[in-house]
Every structure is written in structure tokens, then in C-alpha cells.
């Protein structure tokens, strides 16, 4: 039998592992439901140890949401170069997969971010905007122009609204796919960014 | 000097008047901030009298939100017949005016509806959907077809998302108009419904 060498993990790696567990809990629980006790059960460690990594529940919630947002931003990052609409479609597909895999947690993030906690709201808004802002950052003026989009405050405002549309549509679709296949959903969402920004002065 | 005859108001009319005051408070306060005391001050009546009309704070909040939603639905109702896009533009204009006049309250409705209260959420969702569903109810199949829209589950899903877009864009615009004039905003929003629903299978 092969033995795995016992590696003493450093504090940061251990904290990251604990956050993995926390994010996993988010798939089926709302942020505000997460407790240190729950994480201790999930990770198979003592509560006392957890207080070594998270000073309190608020700190723990914030760290889990920050990590969930970072995962979302990383997962929806375009994997390689390509046409703007192709990049967009791939980002959207990753986003749909993410929302599907983390439904409860994502829903609670959307709803909770609307609630009192300003820090959670900011983290969430950052993750939410990452897809739209990438379109503008990764595309040249010429590429945008070829899609009929001119970067302007009006276009940015509509693109901001488009992220709200995507979120609403994907959450609704995950809740009830109503016979719509994923590729068709992605097509509609991709086309809709052009639909809301094209021709805006 | 003309004298106004003293009319003894019936219970319902008096309650409606009190709700007028409640909705007025919503322009500058979040739903959860509203108290019976505040309404007593605003309406110039005693707290005791108010408990005659609203059994508790929750009942009062619910009645104010119901009234605010009814006002929104009534104000955004198309005033007369017309082309679908014309009706839509007029509804959107009324919506923008409503959000501008009731900014704090509407914002709290959006955020609060995301929170715990299911009744408030339902009332809000109903008001929110009224604009989109009207497009489908008031337009004939032929009118929709002439706009390139075929009524289908996919189109309804995208139209649902469009209401989230409108809400996000209008709230952002009221917060910071960034040099965009209202007519231009209305044009962009009107065009965007077509942009997200046209060509969806």
C-alpha cells in the first residue's frame, strides 16, 4: 500500500480548504444560514479550530462570499481569445453552469445583497459586473463598432441593466427551464446584449 | 367666505387618505423604516386612531406597499389605444416618473422584496410584471409579429428578464443621470424590449 506523506499545511492553504467547504455549503444553503457549526460538521474539524481562521460569523460569511464571487469571476473568464460574441457566449455558459451548481447560495447572494450588508452587496456587484465590463475591456473599439456598439455612458448604463436581465433570466430558467435547452438560452442571452446596446447613442 | 360642508368620511375613504400619507412617506423612507408613529405625525392624527385602521406595523406596511403597487400599475397603464411600441414608450415614461417621484420607497421595495417578506415580494413582482404582461395582453398576435416577436416560453422568459433590466437601468439613471436625457432613456428602453425578444425562438 502506498502511503501519502503527511504534509503540514500552512495556515493559508488550510483556510482556502475550509472556504472550499463553505462554498460547497452555499450550493444548498443561504449565506445567512451558514454557521461555524455547520462548517465544522462539513469539514470534519472542531469549532475551536475554525475560530482560529474566522474571528466570527460575519467574517466567515464575508470570506465565503468573497470566495464564491472570485470563483464566479474566474469561471466566467474567457478561456482564450476570440470574437467578442464568442467570448460572451462562453462566459454566459460558464455563468449558467455556475448558477446551476450553486443555486441556493447564488440566490441568497442576490437576495441578501439587496439586504442590509453593504460589504456583501459590493462583492456581489463586482462579480455581477465582471461579465459586462469584460466585453468592453477585451474588445477593441473596432470590434465593438463591428457589432454596432459605440462605448458611451448610455451604452454602459444599458449594459449594466443587461447584467440584471441575465441574472433574472438564468435564475428563472434554473428554477423552471420550461422546455428551453441551454444552447438556446445562451443564444438568446448573447443576442440580447447586442439587442440592448446596439443603436444606443 | 364660502364654507365647506363638514362631511363625515366613511372608514374606507379615511383609510385611503391615510394610505396616501403612507405612500408619500415612501418617497423618502424605506418600507421597513415606516412606523405608525411616523404616519400619525404625517397625517396629524393620533396613534390610537391609526390602530383602528391598521392592526399592526406589518399590516400597515403591507397596505402601503399594496397601495404603492396599485398606484404604479395604474400610472403605467396605457392611457389610450395605439401602436404597441408607442404604448410601451408611454408606460415606460410613466414608470420613470414614478421611480423618480418615489425613489427611496421604490428602492426599498426592490431591496426589501428580495428580503424575507413573501407578501411584499409578491405584491412587488406583480407590479413589476404588469408592464411586460400588458405588452402581450394588449397586442394582437399580428402586432407582435409585425415587431418580429412570437409569443413563446422563451420570449416570455426574456421579457421577464427585461423588466429586471428596466428596473436596474431606471434606478441607476435616477441615482446618476450621467448626462442622458429622459427621451433618450425611454428610446433605449423601448428599443431594448424588441432587442431582447426579437428573433427568440
Amino acid at each position: 500500500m502506498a502511503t501519502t506523506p503527511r504534509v503540514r499545511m500552512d495556515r493559508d492553504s488550510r483556510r482556502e480548504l475550509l472556504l472550499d467547504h463553505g462554498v460547497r455549503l452555499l450550493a444548498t444553503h443561504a449565506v445567512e444560514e451558514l454557521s461555524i457549526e455547520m462548517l465544522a460538521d462539513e469539514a470534519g474539524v472542531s469549532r475551536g479550530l475554525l475560530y482560529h481562521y474566522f474571528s466570527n460569523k460575519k467574517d466567515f460569511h464575508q470570506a465565503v462570499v468573497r470566495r464564491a464571487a472570485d470563483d464566479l469571476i474566474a469561471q466566467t473568464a474567457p478561456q482564450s481569445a476570440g470574437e467578442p460574441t464568442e467570448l460572451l457566449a462562453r462566459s454566459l455558459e460558464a455563468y449558467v453552469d455556475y448558477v446551476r451548481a450553486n443555486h441556493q447560495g447564488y440566490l441568497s447572494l442576490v437576495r441578501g445583497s439587496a439586504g442590509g450588508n453593504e460589504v456583501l452587496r459590493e462583492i456581489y456587484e463586482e462579480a455581477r459586473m465582471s461579465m459586462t465590463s469584460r466585453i468592453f475591456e477585451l474588445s477593441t473599439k473596432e470590434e465593438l463598432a463591428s457589432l454596432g456598439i459605440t462605448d458611451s455612458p448610455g451604452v454602459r448604463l444599458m449594459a449594466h441593466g443587461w447584467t440584471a436581465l441575465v441574472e433574472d433570466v438564468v435564475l428563472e430558467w434554473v428554477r423552471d427551464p420550461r422546455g428551453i435547452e441551454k444552447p438556446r438560452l445562451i443564444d438568446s442571452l448573447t443576442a440580447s446584449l447586442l439587442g440592448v446596446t446596439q443603436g444606443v447613442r
Side-chain angles (χ1 to χ4, degrees), chain A residues 64-98:
Chain A
V64 171
V65 168
R66 175 73 266 170
R67 169 61 102 72
D70 288 344
D71 287 354
L72 175 60
I73 294 170
Q75 282 177 41
T76 59
Q79 298 303 301
S80 55
E83 291 289 309
T85 49
E86 239 181 84
L87 294 178
L88 178 61
R90 255 180 276 152
S91 274
L92 282 168
E93 196 175 349
Y95 174 74
V96 169
D97 292 341
Y98 181 92

Side-chain angles (χ1 to χ4, degrees), chain A residues 14 17-19 21-22 24-25 36-46 49-50:
Chain A
R14 205 183 250 275
L17 264 185
L18 290 171
L19 286 176
H21 286 291
R24 212 167 300 145
L25 285 171
I36 296 274
E37 289 72 23
M38 214 182 258
L39 182 62
D41 282 354
E42 171 79 17
V45 297
S46 73
L49 183 72
L50 289 181

Side-chain angles (χ1 to χ4, degrees), chain A residues 16-45 50 54 57 60-61 63-65 67-68 71 98-109:
Chain A
E16 288 306 308
L17 264 185
L18 290 171
L19 286 176
D20 282 346
H21 286 291
V23 170
R24 212 167 300 145
L25 285 171
L26 263 196
T28 44
H29 295 82
V31 180
E32 58 277 13
E33 285 169 18
L34 296 193
S35 65
I36 296 274
E37 289 72 23
M38 214 182 258
L39 182 62
D41 282 354
E42 171 79 17
V45 297
L50 289 181
F54 309 103
K57 195 167 153 178
F60 167 51
H61 285 178
V64 171
V65 168
R67 169 61 102 72
D71 287 354
Y98 181 92
V99 175
R100 208 149 45 165
N102 303 281
H103 192 221
Q104 278 313 309
Y106 190 72
L107 197 61
S108 81
L109 210 63

Side-chain angles (χ1 to χ4, degrees), chain A residues 135-153:
Chain A
I135 301 292
F136 293 100
E137 282 155 18
L138 292 178
S139 309
T140 61
K141 248 190 183 163
E142 289 69 31
E143 283 172 324
L144 288 175
S146 75
L147 299 171
I149 299 171
T150 325
D151 196 355
S152 74

Side-chain angles (χ1 to χ4, degrees), chain A residues 162-182:
Chain A
W162 176 80
T163 60
L165 174 146
V166 170
E167 179 179 278
D168 182 273
V169 166
V170 174
L171 280 170
E172 274 288 303
W173 180 79
V174 170
R175 196 179 61 76
D176 172 11
R178 50 201 95 174
I180 301 160
E181 304 285 341
K182 195 169 87 169

